[in-house]
Amino acid sequence: MGDVLLPKEFRFVLFFLTVLFSAPPVAMAASYAVLVGVSDYDERIGLSDLRGPANDVRLLRDVFETRGDFDIRILADGVDGGIDPSRENILAALDDVVERSEPGDFVYLHFSGHGTQQGDLNGDESDGMDEVFLPRDTARAEPGTTVIPNAIVDEEFGERVLAMRTKGVDVWFVLDSCHSGSGLRAGSPRIATRFVDPAALGVSLPAATTAVASPLIDAAGDENLPGKYLAFYAAQSSEVAREIQIDEADPDSWYGLFSSRLAARLQTGANQSYRQLFQALLGDLDDSAIPGAARLQTPLWEGNLIDAPVFGGGDVIGVRQFAVDGARIRAGKLQGLRDNTVVALVADAAAAADDILGYAQLRQTGAQSATFVAVNGSCVASVAKACDELGPTPANARFARIVAQPLDDRIRIAPPQDLETGEVLPADHPLYAALTTAVATSNADQATNIVLEPDSSVLSAVMDDALWFGARLAIGDSPVGLAWRPGDGPLDQLLLRIVKAEQVAEMLGSVAGTQSVLFPSPVEFEVKQLASDASQLNQNTPTDLVAECMAALGSAAPVPDFGTGAQLKQCDYLVFEARGVVQGPARDVNRVYIDSQFCVSAEYQRIEGIARPALIGEPMTVCSDCPEASGFVQKAGAERMFFVVTEAEDNREALNLEGAIDNCATPGTPTRSGAAQSVSGFLSGLSERDATRGGMGNIGISKIWVEQYNWDVLPRSAALANFGQN
């Protein structure tokens, strides 16, 4: 964008464009582990020593040495073979891995030690503070400053993770530290916290009103980078990370609570996904053997490796599973469950596929929980009839895995019409006949329930020897929407994509706009548009999308008051922000996007408290002419976006829909629901709720909020005509 001055939200537009079409990751070649543990701080400046980080590093070193395929770097005081965990050495070790790693490599980064906050120097933090990790040589801030000498700032980690991912390296980042001082009373001599009050280091900060959990790798880049990443954080931003004395009789048995449980899980060598591992850790941290105050610690995860095998190991079953509490499952209609869903009960999140204790069927399904009863393993999930109960469910069941869901949603598609005349085509028209056959195939093979009916929300039409689908079928003289031509591949598979998208849209739409003034959403949303300069758009299909958008955005202008019904064009740029407006618990926010091709994707962010706005997902560059392997393809038409807000709960996995509802994932990309797991029942129960608020079982509908935006992406000819370029 050169020297053109733009609002802060749009400064990184060119960066996102340049990585938008990066190549997919390649096979893993080498593995690195950087293990950092800082125990010996300078107590003279207000930094108390820790006793657990050295033991954390020893545990994890043993894990990686046992594997035998990792290049291990140890930066820890008190550990044989370790070097001084100073700022210079830590950053040098990371830079060395950035330099040496190659596409397809895997990097594990682990940090145990104190954390805190300091003033935000570059204005990129929503809470006005930088999160920092404290190395061994941390010094006291100079009077009148808010900067802690030698502290490692979040951006410094983020830049290096980004550099690895840009090269095609997968990164797993684990932080057993924290940046919040809330809940500091340990309540037991066997518990210590890994947080330092900034004031103890001479930093004076205003009272925090944190908007989002600000992870140390917040700058890890977008989903399109060739390398993927995953981050495990020992505690959410409103909590402290703790270390505990495992054995009262052994004064040296101090370990990071999270690190020790993680190492124990990794030592099993079980083939499991990162998601299964995380769920197992949630259960481990609630173990009654842990001192009570220490259990007030809820880990978090983020990233797009969550359903990949741990360390790229053997294949794992892509299961959806949820925690069990007695005869109740901690999931419900919001997770796509409904009455008569059949689940398999297991004792552990990482249990093998055949370690099933028994089967159960859901009853009284609410928004985020349901009861269940034991049933026979041959139970068939049916909307119309429940299976017979067998008796009590296994007492040691801790997780429920989805086996089968009842599905009765009818998806209505209008019979195809001639786009030029508006007349419905005769049934023997080749494309109408192809649609009829595909509907029958999809209904028989994919358990869909598609019907061809007039006046349906999904329209179909024929033009240019293609069958078009969409909420609208033409803008100006151009057909828009999803096109299918004979030879493009099975039409029934395309219909399955439409079914999944329409199910999501229908159920989210049933909640959008129903919020009561008595229960306003605790989160406000704003969509900001940077309008591309139409005079810089090519008259014809471009040969280089990045070059076209760089030119069109070089003289772009912000558009005030973006609202539903907007008309967008090639290279327009959208930024999505959320801000907490009601004090209370943390909120899980999901941005669900359904494009003109009926592709569904989700982005997640956690919002806490009230402060400045935070980004919800990556900014979006509008593409009406998009590059595909076969060339540029028009992708104009009607699009929808939903913002879903739910209240988060302590010691419960966040409602993160990333990868759980995607229906156009690149082959080989892991999804959180597994490759064989249908997500077509997602949110189905929301449309069946009682008319009164609070009629959704144990949680009121008032704790679920949905805001919807609709817009049209104009085809190039219409965009140029509208803006006077034709």
Side-chain angles (χ1 to χ4, degrees), residues 327-414:
R328 182 174 293 274
I329 182 174
R330 296 182 187 175
K333 294 178 179 178
L334 196 58
Q335 285 82 11
L337 309 183
R338 60 185 304 157
D339 285 352
N340 294 348
T341 296
V342 177
V343 297
L345 302 175
V346 296
D348 190 273
D354 55 354
D355 289 341
I356 295 173
L357 302 175
Y359 293 88
Q361 193 171 41
L362 302 193
R363 304 281 194 270
Q364 301 176 348
T365 308
Q368 295 197 71
S369 71
T371 61
F372 57 79
V373 299
V375 296
N376 192 285
S378 60
C379 172
V380 176
S382 169
V383 172
K385 182 181 179 181
C387 297
D388 294 335
E389 297 183 28
L390 287 183
T393 55
N396 58 334
R398 295 181 63 190
F399 288 89
R401 295 177 174 175
I402 306 304
V403 173
Q405 294 206 63
L407 178 65
D408 69 341
D409 297 305
R410 290 162 61 90
I411 299 299
R412 296 169 174 83
I413 300 177

